[in-house]
Amino acid sequence: MENDKGKLRRDDFKTGILLILLSLGVLWEASTYPMTDSYGGVQNVWYVSPALFPLIIGLLLFILALVLVGNALVFHGWSAVWRDKNVIQTRQGRGDLRFIGVVVFFSAFVYAYIPNVDFFIASVLFLFTFISGYYLERKDVLIINIIFYTLIAGALLLITKITGEPTNHWLTDGLTTFGLFSLFLISQNARNEDETYVKKLRVALLVSILVPAILCPIFKFGLLVPLPSEGIYIELMEQIKYLFRTHS
């Protein structure tokens, strides 16, 4: 058990370094967006800048990646981390798969999901595949998540190519929603007899839904920051907002 934990911590170190580089790339790209601008003689304030959301995401990702690397260093010690060839060289097996998962999840999220799917449901599916893939610490679950997430991304790109612009959110959002709950049911039925596994899986789904459900309205209606892609779920949030405003 201790040996397995040590391997996971070494994998965490490598994954954390990759996420740090990715977060720095996100922050660099976000820094190229204007923080303030003038439209029609009206000066916009910084908190409605399109750079705000990616800056926050990049910063949070950077902090979490530092925590991941820090935990690995605390477990092994700084000198042990750099002495261990398994840390600085690619190890076949679980470590490689975890790297592939990180690359696939983030790449597909940025290039397939964000431009074509309502940001709320795109974030929910991304978080669920990512959290369940690593939180459950099961190789088979991570493989299923990678394959499932990639297939849906490919289908989204195909739909966009066939239907053209603008994005048909009824198709893309519907497909993503169907994919989310299909993946949850497949993962749950895979080990339905394991109560601890099922409980962790449900926690992963709950967290994946709650985080975007809280952050999307804050940015959309509180900070007035337009989300990258707004479809049926963001429109539903707007209808709920107007409903409460009408009755208030």
Side-chain angles (χ1 to χ4, degrees):
M1 176 64 70
E2 188 67 24
N3 187 42
D4 289 341
K5 188 175 182 181
K7 290 179 180 179
L8 285 175
R9 291 296 172 265
R10 287 193 292 269
D11 292 341
D12 287 345
F13 180 82
K14 294 188 292 184
T15 303
I17 295 298
L18 180 63
L19 290 177
I20 287 175
L21 295 176
L22 179 63
S23 65
L24 291 177
V26 172
L27 292 172
W28 174 264
E29 181 67 22
S31 67
T32 62
Y33 299 163
M35 291 301 294
T36 59
D37 207 343
S38 178
Y39 295 95
V42 178
Q43 186 72 24
N44 285 341
V45 291
W46 63 270
Y47 55 79
V48 299
S49 167
L52 182 61
F53 193 80
L55 280 174
I56 292 177
I57 296 298
L59 182 60
L60 289 176
L61 183 61
F62 181 76
I63 294 173
L64 292 175
L66 286 179
V67 172
L68 203 61
V69 172
N71 285 337
L73 292 175
V74 169
F75 185 87
H76 285 288
W78 182 263
S79 59
V81 164
W82 293 108
R83 283 201 311 268
D84 195 338
K85 294 182 179 179
N86 284 328
V87 178
I88 57 177
Q89 295 180 356
T90 302
R91 178 173 58 84
Q92 299 297 321
R94 186 183 302 177
D96 294 336
L97 183 62
R98 288 162 69 92
F99 268 116
I100 292 172
V102 170
V103 173
V104 168
F105 292 145
F106 278 98
S107 300
F109 183 60
V110 171
Y111 295 106
Y113 288 88
I114 288 182
N116 304 306
V117 182
D118 181 278
F119 189 71
F120 169 78
I121 191 62
S123 300
V124 172
L125 180 59
F126 168 76
L127 289 173
F128 179 70
T129 53
F130 198 89
I131 293 173
S132 63
Y134 294 95
Y135 173 54
L136 296 176
E137 297 184 353
R138 291 190 54 85
K139 182 178 179 180
D140 56 341
V141 173
L142 183 55
I143 291 175
I144 292 174
N145 287 5
I146 292 173
I147 295 174
F148 213 88
Y149 201 69
T150 303
L151 289 176
I152 296 177
L156 290 172
L157 294 176
L158 181 62
I159 289 174
T160 303
K161 184 176 182 179
I162 293 175
T163 60
E165 297 292 341
T167 300
N168 189 326
H169 279 287
W170 284 103
L171 284 176
T172 58
D173 297 356
L175 175 63
T176 306
T177 304
F178 175 78
L180 170 67
F181 290 104
S182 297
L183 180 59
F184 173 76
L185 292 176
I186 291 172
S187 302
Q188 180 175 255
N189 292 333
R191 293 181 61 86
N192 198 33
E193 72 283 354
D194 190 339
E195 294 183 2
T196 302
Y197 168 85
V198 174
K199 183 178 179 180
K200 285 185 175 182
L201 189 67
R202 291 174 180 174
V203 169
L205 179 62
L206 180 62
V207 171
S208 302
I209 294 175
L210 285 180
V211 171
I214 294 173
L215 291 182
C216 286
I218 289 176
F219 279 92
K220 174 67 177 177
F221 307 119
L223 299 176
L224 303 179
V225 176
L227 298 176
S229 183
E230 300 179 1
I232 58 177
Y233 287 94
I234 301 301
E235 183 178 348
L236 178 61
M237 292 180 185
E238 290 181 344
Q239 296 299 324
I240 294 174
K241 172 193 172 184
Y242 292 131
L243 180 63
F244 278 104
R245 177 177 294 180
T246 303
H247 291 283
S248 61

